[in-house]
Amino acid sequence: MLLFPEFLLQRPFLPLGTDDRLTLRPLRESDAEALRALANNKNVAARLARLPYPYTLADAYKFISFSQQGIKNGEHLLLAIERRADKKFMGVIGCESEQGYCELGYWLGEEFWEQGYGKEAVRDFIRFLFSVFQTEEIVGTVKETNRASRRIFEGLGFRETGTKESPSGVCDQLQPAVTYALTREEFRSHYKKQGLITIEAVTAAVINEEGKIFLAERPEGRIMPGVWEPPGGKIEPGETPKEAIVRELKEEIGIDVNQEDLDLFTTVSYPYEAYQLSMTCYLCRRWKGKPYGAEGQKVAWVAWEDLATLSLFPASVIPFHKLQELLAI
């Protein structure tokens, strides 16, 4: 059964930068040794239903191939959890489509437990599934003794739906587990209760003659450091969206743009932890001046196929794919 929305089928999956410290990206063959080292741990396997133990390098390569085939076919989504600061492989998060709902699972290497990484990964992953994949319901199963994961599910609004017997990779006996579920409507209600403000923002895909996109990396000290994004920002009081993006392009990358040279190509709404983003996206192919990091930020012209190597704002996934369709990059 297909999990991916139609517009993402047969397309590269773009890495997702979480609000704080992580990148959720497709697994690569180069992850195999790190995957084996973390998964070949009895304490990790004891918490999971399907992780074999001992875990071999052959198991790692088989799993990576399975994850890549799932993305290619749009049937399941399995991603590496990576720490942005040092590119450290930390574990896996993913989901599979079963009978009209999405089953979520994740694990972290033992050295990363009890540091908030699990909550961060699950929180941002389910946000992406509900907002971009338009998933109707997410379910999960947690071993009864896994208090940390149960706190994560319950803290993110999942409701307990029952109990079941779950297999284990370290013993032949079934073990008691708790089942959880969260619908998209419940997810929305959970966020509404937090009274999040809505930020009206603009962004521009500045495209050069080679078809490359101008991006900047968010520096340390700002929200989501290490994440790459097109230029843009908040709409100030009294500004129209076009006036705002003209100002932002001058302030951020030092170019002058006429409003008539900006083409609206999509709008996006996306929930972040502290706010609801409403973003108007423009295409810009004509400007005066040479783009640079006017605020001291690291910048680059990036080809479409290289986007998959960067940590990106989840809200940018739809605009980047719309852009590819528009320009046939």
Side-chain angles (χ1 to χ4, degrees):
M1 183 174 180
L2 288 180
L3 169 70
F4 281 46
E6 187 174 346
F7 81 94
L8 284 178
L9 290 175
Q10 301 298 316
R11 292 176 179 268
F13 187 87
L14 301 180
L16 310 174
T18 67
D19 280 8
D20 303 309
R21 301 165 290 176
L22 305 175
T23 297
L24 309 180
R25 60 161 177 80
L27 285 103
R28 305 186 282 255
E29 282 77 9
S30 58
D31 294 321
E33 182 52 49
L35 172 58
R36 183 209 62 79
L38 294 181
N40 190 36
N41 180 317
K42 192 172 183 178
N43 293 331
V44 172
R47 294 189 172 197
L48 304 173
R50 291 187 286 177
L51 188 74
Y53 180 81
Y55 196 89
T56 68
L57 194 58
D59 291 325
Y61 279 115
K62 182 179 179 180
F63 179 78
I64 291 169
S65 176
F66 175 74
S67 73
Q68 293 171 339
Q69 195 64 35
I71 290 177
K72 181 179 179 181
N73 295 336
E75 295 172 343
H76 51 260
L77 178 61
L78 300 167
L79 302 175
I81 303 173
E82 180 183 87
R83 189 161 56 198
R84 252 193 330 266
D86 57 6
K87 310 299 182 186
K88 183 81 169 178
F89 180 91
M90 303 170 68
V92 174
I93 190 166
C95 61
E96 300 181 41
S97 182
E98 294 287 346
Q99 300 177 354
Y101 55 79
C102 173
E103 184 169 9
L104 168 70
Y106 81 99
W107 64 267
L108 288 167
E110 188 172 8
E111 65 190 90
F112 306 113
W113 292 1
E114 302 297 337
Q115 299 173 61
Y117 290 122
K119 179 179 179 180
E120 181 179 339
V122 174
R123 178 196 69 199
D124 287 47
F125 188 60
I126 65 171
R127 187 188 301 162
F128 176 82
L129 291 176
F130 282 128
S131 301
V132 176
F133 275 37
Q134 296 292 295
T135 301
E136 289 297 331
E137 184 176 28
I138 299 174
V139 302
T141 301
V142 183
K143 295 289 179 65
E144 192 175 75
T145 55
N146 188 350
R147 300 292 180 183
S149 288
R150 290 179 64 184
R151 286 196 300 270
I152 288 173
F153 274 66
E154 291 164 10
L156 293 173
F158 281 80
R159 56 191 156 78
E160 188 175 324
T161 57
T163 59
K164 63 186 288 188
E165 295 295 303
S166 175
S168 169
V170 298
C171 68
D172 295 331
Q173 295 180 333
L174 294 175
Q175 298 176 338
V178 181
T179 58
Y180 292 95
L182 180 67
T183 67
R184 184 145 56 102
E185 189 56 41
E186 289 169 338
F187 168 78
R188 288 173 174 169
S189 297
H190 183 71
Y191 266 85
K192 285 179 181 178
K193 289 178 183 177
Q194 299 180 45
L196 300 182
I197 63 170
T198 297
I199 292 180
E200 300 287 342
V202 286
T203 189
V206 178
I207 309 292
N208 66 12
E209 293 179 353
E210 297 175 349
K212 293 183 176 181
I213 308 166
F214 193 83
L215 300 179
E217 183 183 35
R218 294 180 72 89
E220 291 296 327
R222 296 186 64 183
I223 297 173
M224 301 179 75
V227 171
W228 288 80
E229 61 178 340
K234 297 179 184 178
I235 301 175
E236 299 294 345
E239 284 186 321
T240 66
K242 279 194 172 182
E243 288 171 343
I245 193 58
V246 167
R247 173 184 52 77
E248 290 286 350
L249 290 171
K250 181 64 175 179
E251 292 175 355
E252 286 192 24
I253 63 173
I255 61 174
D256 295 303
V257 178
N258 294 321
Q259 290 190 31
E260 56 267 27
D261 290 328
L262 294 165
D263 297 314
L264 173 67
F265 71 92
T266 194
T267 58
V268 175
S269 179
Y270 198 89
Y272 284 97
E273 184 66 8
Y275 59 91
Q276 175 80 27
L277 178 68
S278 178
M279 187 167 66
T280 302
C281 309
Y282 292 98
L283 172 65
C284 177
R285 305 196 74 166
R286 292 181 295 275
W287 63 85
K288 292 180 180 178
K290 184 178 180 180
Y292 70 102
E295 299 174 339
Q297 69 274 42
K298 183 179 179 181
V299 297
W301 288 103
V302 180
W304 165 261
E305 58 269 21
D306 293 330
L307 290 176
T309 68
L310 303 175
S311 185
L312 304 170
F313 267 100
S316 296
V317 169
I318 291 177
F320 279 136
H321 283 291
K322 294 277 189 182
L323 192 64
Q324 186 193 32
E325 294 175 356
L326 183 66
L327 302 178
I329 295 175

